[in-house]
Amino acid sequence: MSHPLVGAPAPSFAMTDTHGRTVTSAQLSGTAYMLVFVPFAFSDTCTNELIDLRGAEDLLARDDLKVIVVSCDSIYTLKAWADTHSYKAELLSDFWPHGEVSRQYGVFNPQKGLATRGTFLVDAAGVVRWAIVNPEGEARDLADYRRAVIDLLD
C-alpha cells in the first residue's frame, strides 16, 4: 500500500516526551527514525503492539535508527503507561495542539480525536521512505518494520 508522504520530505514536528522535554524533528536530522502512531496507549491493541515493540531489540538497539511512538494521549498518560509496562523507548505526546502531528502525517481521526495506526520510516535526510497505515483495530506486524528497515538501512 502506498502513502502520499512516501518520497516526500517528512513533516516537521515538535512534541513533548514523558519527561516534559520537547523533541523536534530538527533534533533528529542526520538520523533515520520510525514514527509509530498509536490511538491510545492503554487500549488493548496498542498495549500489545507496544509490548511487542519493546521486545524488538533488533530495532530499538540500532545506532542508525530511532524508534519513536506517538499518541494523542497526554504526557501523564504516556508516562503512566511507560511506568506500568517498563517501556524505555521514546513516547511523544501529540496532545496539544491536539493531533497536529498526526494530521500532518495523515493519520488523525477527527471524529474520534485519535491517531490511527500509522508507521512512517524517515531516512537520515528527512525523507519518508516507507509507510503503513492499518485499519482501525488491526495491529501492525513487526516483520513489516524489520523488512522496511533492512531495505532502507542495511
Side-chain angles (χ1 to χ4, degrees), residues 49-62 65 67 87 89 142-143 145-146:
E49 276 190 309
L50 294 181
I51 287 172
D52 287 348
L53 189 56
R54 177 187 67 194
E57 283 299 316
D58 58 317
L59 295 173
L60 297 176
R62 291 183 69 116
L65 176 70
V67 177
Y87 195 82
L142 285 178
Y145 295 177
R146 289 181 173 109

Side-chain angles (χ1 to χ4, degrees), residues 85-96:
H85 296 284
S86 301
Y87 195 82
K88 305 292 183 220
E90 192 90 61
L91 294 169
L92 299 182
S93 174
D94 190 17
F95 183 74
W96 198 257

Side-chain angles (χ1 to χ4, degrees), residues 5 8-11 13 25 28 30-35 64-66 105 119-131 152-153:
L5 283 178
F13 64 80
S25 52
L28 299 170
T31 303
Y33 58 94
M34 181 180 291
L35 291 179
D64 59 349
L65 176 70
K66 184 147 178 97
Y105 279 82
T119 304
F120 300 83
L121 184 56
V122 179
D123 69 15
V127 175
V128 177
R129 293 296 176 192
W130 177 84
L152 180 66
L153 302 179

Side-chain angles (χ1 to χ4, degrees), residues 5-70:
L5 283 178
V6 173
S12 62
F13 64 80
M15 291 180 280
T16 308
D17 70 10
T18 56
H19 304 287
R21 298 177 296 225
T22 301
V23 176
T24 68
S25 52
Q27 293 167 335
L28 299 170
S29 180
T31 303
Y33 58 94
M34 181 180 291
L35 291 179
V36 180
F37 290 88
V38 296
F40 294 118
F42 279 101
S43 70
D44 289 340
T45 303
C46 294
T47 293
N48 292 333
E49 276 190 309
L50 294 181
I51 287 172
D52 287 348
L53 189 56
R54 177 187 67 194
E57 283 299 316
D58 58 317
L59 295 173
L60 297 176
R62 291 183 69 116
D63 292 331
D64 59 349
L65 176 70
K66 184 147 178 97
V67 177
I68 302 166
V69 175
V70 179

